[in-house]
Structures are given as C-alpha cells and as structure tokens.
Amino acid sequence: MPPVGSIGKRSSPSVLRGRLMADAGKNRDAGSMLAVKAPIAELRQLEKDLADVVLANINSPEQGVFSGSQTAIEAAKDACIQKGYKSVQLPVAAAFHSPLVEAAQVPFSQAVAQAAITPTATPVYANVSGLPYPGDSREAADLLGRQLTSPVQFQPIVENLFSAGVRTFIEVGPKSVLSGLVRATLASDAICVLALDRSAGKSSGMLDLAHVLAQLAVLAPGST
C-alpha cells in the first residue's frame, strides 16, 4: 500500500475550504441536499431519471445523499415519496459535492497545489476515489483538489479499510451517525465501532471519551 501525503501548513487550505463553503451558501440558488434511505443501485437509477440531481454521498448500501438546486431537490423528494423511500432534507448551506459549488473548487485546488505534501507511512483514504491517496504529491494534490465537487465515496472507503485489515473504527465528531453507516456497510461481528460523542451531547464528554479509551484498552493486545 503506498504511503499517503500529509499536508504542510495545514491550516491554510482548511481555513480556505471553510470560507469557500460558507461563501457558496450565499449564492442565489446554492441548492440543497437530501438524504435518502434506499438501495444505492436504486438511487443511482433515480439520479439518471431526475434532472440536475447528483448522488453526492454514497454512505452505505442502503443510504445516499442527493445534491442539487432547490427545485431539483423538491422533485427528488416527490420522487422518493412516490417510491416509498424515506428522505430528509439536510440543513446545509449549499449543494455540496456537486457542480453547484464549482466556483469554490478552483481557488481550493490552487491552495492545495501550493501546500507541501510529504509521504507518511499511514495511508489516508480519499473521499473522491475511496482509495488511499497516491504517494506522488502532485497526484495527491490533484485528487484532494477535486474533493469539493466530487461525490463522497464513504461506503467504498469503509469496505476498502476492512479489506486492508482494519477492524476498529473510531468516529470523531458530533453524534454517531457515521458509526451507524459503518455498521450498516460491513454488517460484521468482527468489527468494533466507537464514537467519541456516543451520547450525542446528552452526557459528559469526558465520560464518552473514557468509555472509548476503556474499550480500546480492552482491545489492546495482551489485555485480559
């Protein structure tokens, strides 16, 4: 497995990405996103049937997210109702991971291209491809630069991590939505999925962290 680049001066592209995403939401029709619970194969077909809609997130075998203009997302919601699919419009500022945020891609790509990327021994998987970033810094920068407008391949990433031998998954962030997607994707008793915010803010964050650390200690080699 090739080594993956880590970005030097990481704050610059990261801060720029946040600003560009915020600016994208100020457009007249920045669009929206719709999470849908249905088989991915059927969502791909729905993507072909609907105009101006992109399957922006492949989250699990039974869940995906559409991006598109407000009008296109309303049409997608109606189509989901007709097919009996459960859908939820997401509270986002724009239709991320779609051509509607293409204006943000150019300055972000330029910033990433100027960042120093050095190889590491730990592979990092790309949202764009679902595979590890290439060891070549220019190829890695090109791939990362396309992240804003490309669909997120979350399900393939999880499957590829499992194939690479990963059995413990730790979710860092609010709530535990991604943990559920990992379990839905792998459906295996051989994995351990932990969330740092397992109580979704209802309990002490320190207790949630202690719970994760305790489970990791039990999983460590030589533990009893």
Side-chain angles (χ1 to χ4, degrees):
M1 185 177 298
V4 179
S6 61
I7 300 178
K9 301 181 181 179
R10 290 176 295 178
S11 60
S12 240
S14 298
V15 171
L16 177 62
R17 184 186 189 281
R19 181 172 64 78
L20 291 171
M21 291 296 92
D23 290 345
K26 299 175 184 178
N27 294 337
R28 184 174 182 179
D29 187 4
S32 187
M33 302 180 78
L34 184 74
V36 185
K37 185 174 178 57
I40 290 297
E42 296 184 22
L43 295 183
R44 291 192 187 281
Q45 183 58 51
L46 192 57
E47 177 187 27
K48 295 178 181 179
D49 296 339
L50 295 170
D52 303 321
V53 165
V54 174
L55 186 56
N57 292 67
I58 294 86
N59 288 338
S60 78
E62 298 288 333
Q63 206 250 51
V65 179
F66 286 124
S67 276
S69 66
Q70 292 288 351
T71 301
I73 290 299
E74 288 299 325
K77 287 169 65 175
D78 291 341
C80 288
I81 291 173
Q82 294 176 8
K83 292 181 174 295
Y85 301 158
K86 182 179 179 181
S87 67
V88 177
Q89 190 161 351
L90 302 180
V92 294
F96 299 123
H97 301 291
S98 81
L100 285 181
V101 293
E102 192 168 7
Q105 181 177 338
V106 173
F108 179 68
S109 297
Q110 291 173 342
V112 170
Q114 294 172 3
I117 300 179
T118 55
T120 69
T122 303
V124 176
Y125 285 66
N127 283 346
V128 176
S129 64
L131 300 169
Y133 276 98
D136 183 274
S137 61
R138 287 175 297 182
E139 293 179 9
D142 176 70
L143 194 60
L144 180 58
R146 292 189 276 123
Q147 193 263 349
L148 298 186
T149 55
S150 299
V152 175
Q153 306 292 332
F154 186 79
Q155 178 191 340
I157 287 175
V158 171
E159 292 171 337
N160 290 333
L161 285 169
F162 185 82
S163 296
V166 174
R167 295 295 181 269
T168 302
F169 297 81
I170 303 175
E171 179 174 358
V172 180
K175 301 184 179 180
S176 57
V177 175
L178 300 182
S179 297
L181 295 177
V182 170
R183 293 189 184 97
T185 296
L186 297 178
S188 170
D189 294 332
I191 63 171
C192 179
V193 184
L194 308 173
L196 287 180
D197 187 26
R198 63 190 296 267
S199 68
K202 297 177 183 178
S203 184
S204 164
M206 291 300 294
L207 286 177
D208 286 346
L209 175 60
H211 182 272
V212 170
L213 293 177
Q215 285 192 286
L216 290 175
V218 171
L219 293 171
S223 62
T224 57

